[in-house]
Amino acid sequence: MLNNPTLLIDGDMLLYKACAAVEREVRWDDSNHVLFSNAEEAYEAFQHSLSKVCLDITPLTTGVLGYRIAFSGSGESNFRRKLYPEYKAGRSRKPLCYSHLLGLILDSEPASRVDTLEGDDLLGIWATNGKCHNPIIVSDDKDMRTVPGWLYRQGELTQVSKEQADYNWLLQTLTGDATDGYPGLPGCGPVTAEKLLNRMPDGPVDPEISHTEWRWDLIVQAYEAKGLTEDDALLQARLARILRASDWDSERKEVILWNP
């Protein structure tokens, strides 16, 4: 068991669920309906979810739990939108009082947001920068399986190795993500992507070359076989990669884009 862990909590998910849970529709008359919510109820719902997360993880650890909450910055400033304007362009509206409740939480909890980053990126950076004691990422988002370290997801605590994290990230590079709006390799589903990543390269493998390096060569070949380029593959890899400490310049507050 991890002793005195620091929970790194996906605040976006808890915030969205709390706000959505308290939305109510009122029928004013035969023709007019109004949707409203109460910020105090939303705050209580958020606190309830936060407490439940801590209670659920407590039996799996020892000592005292600490936590930090990560939130996404504004969508227009997201560094991925600058790389690919269609990124998350089709998202639906956020529930009522979302921005108001976010402000309340940022003022009252150990919570952070960086304007150019998503909450997932903050979680990835915190989990890998060595500044948090026994960090555990708490998120139901499958993208967090691309970050090495401990992950509490859908009621299970698992440890993701660096090789597993890199594999999951490259898998996403091939399959894309319809929810986030980037395509990956055209016509490549999960089964095809796994076959490609599990295929050994032709000839002997240099022991000095990592799995990620030779798998990257296979990915580039697959993109080129579709009439695309290495730059196309690199764009998808950068969109799919949840930032780690090595991808973030903490002094300049700038993203260090991944290069093979």
Side-chain angles (χ1 to χ4, degrees), residues 5 30 42 65-66 69 80-81 99 112 116 118 121 127 150 153 160 185-186 191 204 212 225 228 236 249:
D30 289 343
L65 288 177
I69 309 171
R80 293 181 181 85
R81 291 289 294 275
S99 296
S112 303
T116 56
E118 296 180 62
D121 296 313
W150 288 96
R153 180 176 181 267
V160 182
L185 177 65
V191 174
T212 298
L228 301 171
Q236 299 303 307
D249 186 327

Side-chain angles (χ1 to χ4, degrees), residues 164-232:
Q164 289 171 327
D166 287 345
Y167 179 91
N168 292 332
W169 159 55
L170 294 177
L171 189 72
Q172 198 89 330
T173 299
L174 288 165
T175 62
D177 190 322
T179 302
D180 289 343
Y182 63 94
L185 177 65
C188 185
V191 174
T192 301
E194 288 186 8
K195 286 181 179 178
L196 174 64
L197 294 181
N198 291 324
R199 192 181 82 201
M200 293 301 294
D202 297 331
V205 179
D206 187 337
E208 299 298 321
I209 295 178
S210 69
H211 287 77
T212 298
E213 288 180 276
W214 61 256
R215 280 174 172 150
W216 178 251
D217 289 339
L218 295 175
I219 288 173
V220 171
Q221 292 170 23
Y223 271 80
E224 290 176 342
K226 291 284 187 177
L228 301 171
T229 67
E230 182 173 3
D231 286 342
D232 294 314

Side-chain angles (χ1 to χ4, degrees), residues 47-173:
Q47 290 295 328
H48 176 76
S49 296
L50 183 61
S51 297
K52 187 177 186 306
V53 164
C54 294
L55 286 172
D56 289 345
I57 295 180
T58 295
L60 307 176
T61 63
T62 60
V64 179
L65 288 177
Y67 67 87
R68 299 179 70 179
I69 309 171
F71 291 103
S72 295
S74 63
E76 293 303 319
S77 299
N78 187 316
F79 81 92
R80 293 181 181 85
R81 291 289 294 275
K82 295 180 179 179
L83 295 174
Y84 189 70
E86 292 82 5
Y87 183 78
K88 289 190 174 180
R91 287 294 180 95
S92 58
R93 72 165 179 88
K94 289 182 171 61
L96 299 179
C97 80
Y98 188 96
S99 296
H100 179 69
L101 182 55
L102 172 59
L104 293 177
I105 295 167
L106 288 171
D107 288 339
S108 61
E109 295 285 350
S112 303
R113 71 196 294 250
V114 174
D115 204 35
T116 56
L117 304 182
E118 296 180 62
D120 290 354
D121 296 313
L122 278 181
L123 296 177
I125 293 167
W126 292 345
T128 56
N129 65 10
K131 296 181 179 180
C132 296
H133 187 264
N134 286 337
I136 301 173
I137 293 176
V138 180
S139 176
D140 286 343
D141 192 335
K142 63 179 176 56
D143 292 348
M144 301 317 299
R145 295 179 300 180
T146 68
V147 177
W150 288 96
L151 172 64
Y152 182 77
R153 180 176 181 267
Q154 297 181 344
E156 294 187 4
L157 179 63
T158 58
Q159 188 172 24
V160 182
S161 68
K162 184 180 183 301
E163 183 174 340
Q164 289 171 327
D166 287 345
Y167 179 91
N168 292 332
W169 159 55
L170 294 177
L171 189 72
Q172 198 89 330
T173 299

Side-chain angles (χ1 to χ4, degrees), residues 28-49:
W28 286 76
D29 53 39
D30 289 343
S31 301
N32 296 298
H33 296 247
V34 175
L35 194 65
F36 81 98
S37 63
N38 182 282
E40 292 182 1
E41 291 183 3
Y43 187 77
E44 289 177 4
F46 181 89
Q47 290 295 328
H48 176 76
S49 296

